[in-house]
């Protein structure tokens, strides 16, 4: 019973810990300053009255920038006002797929919906999509930082496709309805994935100050696992912060995932090398690049046979007995028949298919017997001299360096080409990619407040609707019943070990005590009977001893009476002289009486009862008196 209660208590404790840990995770997610006005446990009122997947309701208001911005878009009005869908064609692509005919819609999220919140959704798969909008005011790279931020949700996962945005350069001929893949841009930023290659792009186009050509510079990959972020079907926040001191930092869900410098962390580097290889320099004909050469002093031995075969026939092999030389290993199938539709003119002469010869199944082999092949002990292969260090080795040749004629030094790559529009030019094999809450500004605090009023609420709702750890385990076990075994072993085995080692059974202690006292006892009843017999034997010994002592005392008393009578007669004759001798004789008689009881009998009396010797001494004293 105690063990059962212990198991129940431990199980309840584990369950309480799991629930508490999940509650703490939910509490940690609420890090934003979003104002939740109605946090009741009731279904969210969505467009579908049967959708009760959301466990509480929040009041959503379209976020408003708290500072100066260059661009802000929420799509909450349900329209694409201000956005232009491209009508262009993609260059260097087949005509049937070159057109930007992918569909765009403004609609709410499929899951964890906020009432009143909508976003831009890429609806088509395996098509080119292009849409763009002008900024409220162009961004000029001068003394203020650049902050770019927006949300992406791969609602159906992502197989192959991008969700990056382009900041289109401010040019005189910029036409959003003609937006395509070759339209000049200043920065490209955002997620991209194809196959198992997960990317987070940050590319900027740098203008060469000498020839004014543009070259793309791509940031190094962030040291973070992007797979879970791209596959969890949740809304994620992507932020780029670019500072006038050329430093940059990239955030996902307001957590930094990459940082660096425009001059040091891009490929290819912004500034070219000061020196380059001389294109007119060539390697001399006598330049020796071989560190090792064959030893010229070695020659092939005379007995070295390079033509010896690798394998030879085994001369010691003997044909097994019962080998069927006249039987073929395969034979025509006797049960096969020519198909009725077989046309010999078209298909050729029909032949029955070959099957293994049944006669060979019981024999060592069939057909012509040949000697087996073995390794040739005389095989040495092609002779080669040993290699030695090359005395004329000059190292690996490289052309000499000359000053780079195209060298320049740009210490301010932050001062990029101004941009005046934002665009999405994408190809995707997955539909329903969700975009929302674009903001472009110069202050990170403004973007943070914007995120708290938009993405922060989405994260809050998603966290609250996420099933508990226990629910996830139960759901997984329903799909995979074998997980129950894993759960039982994971929870039951540690608890069983704790109970076994910390709470030993009392029977073990009793067994240990029993082992110490009566190691060879077989049965408790037999031991009790044996103990009773031993007690009876002790009592009989004591009775016999007492009887013997009484007899000796009686005999001693009789002798004393006779002696006393003789002494009285002698006293009358000898007078006072006899008193001393009479006392001596009494002592001798007392000692003699004590010696009459054997030492073995005294020992037996002591073992049988605790007062045997004391009784004897007491009786002697009484007699003497």
């Amino acid at each position: 019973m105690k063990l059962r209660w212990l198991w129940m208590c431990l199980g309840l404790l584990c369950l309480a810990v799991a629930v508490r840990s999940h509650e703490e995770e939910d509490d940690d997610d609420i890090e934003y300053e979003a104002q939740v006005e109605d946090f009741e446990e009731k279904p969210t009122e969505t467009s579908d009255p049967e959708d009760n997947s959301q466990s509480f309701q929040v009041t959503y208001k379209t976020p408003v920038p708290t500072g100066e911005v260059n661009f802000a878009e929420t799509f909450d009005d349900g329209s694409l006002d201000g956005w232009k869908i491209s009508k262009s064609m993609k260059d260097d692509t087949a005509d049937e797929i070159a057109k930007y005919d992918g569909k765009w819609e403004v609609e709410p999220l499929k899951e964890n919906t906020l009432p009143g919140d909508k976003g831009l959704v890429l609806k088509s798969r395996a098509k080119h999509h292009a849409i763009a909008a002008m900024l409220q005011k162009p961004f000029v790279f001068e003394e203020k930082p650049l902050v770019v931020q927006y949300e992406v949700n791969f609602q159906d996962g992502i197989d192959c496709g991008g969700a990056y945005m382009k900041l289109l350069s401010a040019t005189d001929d910029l036409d959003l309805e003609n937006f395509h893949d070759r339209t000049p841009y200043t920065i490209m930023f955002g997620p991209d994935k194809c196959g198992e290659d997960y990317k987070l792009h940050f590319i900027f186009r740098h203008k060469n100050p000498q020839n004014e050509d543009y070259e793309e510079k791509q940031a190094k990959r962030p040291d973070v696992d992007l797979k879970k972020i791209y596959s969890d079907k949740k809304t994620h926040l992507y932020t780029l912060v670019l500072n006038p001191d050329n430093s940059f930092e990239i955030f996902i869900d307001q957590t930094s995932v990459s940082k660096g410098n425009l001059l040091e962390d891009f490929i290819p580097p912004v500034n070219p090398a000061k020196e380059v290889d001389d294109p007119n320099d060539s390697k001399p004909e006598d330049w020796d690049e071989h560190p090792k050469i064959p030893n010229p002093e070695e020659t092939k031995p005379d007995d070295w046979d390079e033509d010896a075969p690798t394998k030879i026939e085994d001369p010691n092999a003997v044909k097994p007995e019962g080998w069927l030389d006249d039987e073929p290993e395969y034979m025509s199938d006797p049960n096969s028949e020519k198909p009725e539709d077989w046309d010999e003119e078209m298909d050729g002469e029909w032949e029955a298919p070959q099957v293994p010869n049944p006669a060979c199944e019981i024999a060592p082999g069939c057909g012509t017997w040949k000697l087996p092949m073995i390794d040739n002990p005389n095989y040495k292969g092609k002779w080669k001299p040993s290699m030695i260090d090359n005395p004329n080795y000059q190292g690996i040749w490289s052309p000499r360096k000359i000053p780079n004629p195209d060298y320049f030094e740009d210490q301010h790559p932050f001062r990029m080409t101004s941009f005046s529009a934002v665009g999405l030019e994408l190809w995707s094999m997955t539909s329903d990619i969700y975009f929302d809450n674009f903001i472009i500004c110069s202050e990170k605090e403004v973007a943070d407040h914007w995120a708290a009023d938009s993405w922060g609420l989405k994260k809050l709702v998603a966290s609250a609707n996420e099933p508990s750890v226990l629910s996830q385990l139960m759901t997984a076990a329903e799909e995979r019943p074998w997980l129950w075994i894993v759960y039982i072993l994971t929870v039951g085995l540690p608890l069983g070990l704790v109970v076994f080692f910390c709470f030993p059974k009392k029977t073990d202690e009793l067994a240990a005590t029993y082992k110490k006292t009566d190691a060879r006892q077989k049965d408790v009843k037999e031991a009790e009977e044996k103990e009773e017999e031993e007690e009876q034997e002790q009592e009989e010994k004591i009775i016999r001893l007492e009887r013997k002592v009484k007899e000796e005392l009686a005999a001693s008393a009789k002798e004393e009476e006779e002696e006393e009578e003789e002494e009285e007669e002698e006293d009358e004759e000898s007078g006072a002289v006899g008193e001393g001798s009479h006392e001596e004789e009494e002592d001798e008689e007392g000692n003699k009486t004590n010696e009459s009881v054997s030492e073995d009998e005294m020992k037996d009396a002591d073992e049988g009862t605790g007062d045997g010797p004391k009784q004897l001494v007491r009786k002697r004293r009484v007699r003497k008196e």
Side-chain angles (χ1 to χ4, degrees), residues 543-556:
I543 293 172
R544 288 195 300 270
L545 181 60
E546 289 179 350
R547 187 181 301 167
K548 186 175 182 180
V549 171
K550 288 179 181 180
E551 292 175 355
E552 292 180 354
L553 289 175
S556 177

Side-chain angles (χ1 to χ4, degrees), residues 25 29 152-158 191-193 195-199 224-238 252-253 257 459 463 466-467 469 472:
E25 291 177 0
D29 289 339
V152 177
N153 187 326
F154 296 109
Q155 299 184 96
D156 293 337
I158 181 68
D192 188 15
K193 185 255 184 182
E196 291 301 316
D197 189 11
Y198 298 84
K199 301 177 182 179
V224 63
D225 185 11
L226 300 172
K227 183 175 182 178
K228 182 179 180 181
I229 298 174
Y230 289 9
S231 59
D232 60 6
K233 299 182 181 180
K234 294 182 179 179
T235 303
H236 293 283
L237 185 72
Y238 297 87
I252 298 180
D253 298 343
V257 297
K459 183 178 182 182
S463 299
E466 188 173 354
V469 176
Q472 293 179 10

Side-chain angles (χ1 to χ4, degrees), residues 546-564 589 592-593 596 623:
E546 289 179 350
R547 187 181 301 167
K548 186 175 182 180
V549 171
K550 288 179 181 180
E551 292 175 355
E552 292 180 354
L553 289 175
S556 177
K558 185 176 181 181
E559 291 177 358
E560 288 179 357
E561 290 179 356
E562 293 176 354
E563 291 175 356
E564 286 179 357
E589 290 174 357
K592 185 178 180 180
T593 303
S596 64
R623 180 61 184 165

Side-chain angles (χ1 to χ4, degrees), residues 568-580:
E568 289 177 356
E569 293 177 356
E570 292 176 358
D571 288 343
E572 293 176 356
E573 296 176 358
S574 60
V577 178
E579 294 179 359

Side-chain angles (χ1 to χ4, degrees), residues 296-307:
E297 298 180 358
E298 288 185 359
T299 57
K300 183 175 69 173
D302 295 337
D303 59 347
W304 191 283
D305 186 5
E306 293 183 339
D307 299 329

Side-chain angles (χ1 to χ4, degrees), residues 208 210 271-279 401-408:
N208 189 316
Q210 287 190 349
N271 295 318
K274 293 183 179 181
E275 293 183 336
V276 295
D277 295 338
D278 185 359
K401 298 291 184 179
I402 61 172
N404 186 358
D406 299 325
Y407 174 74
F408 63 84

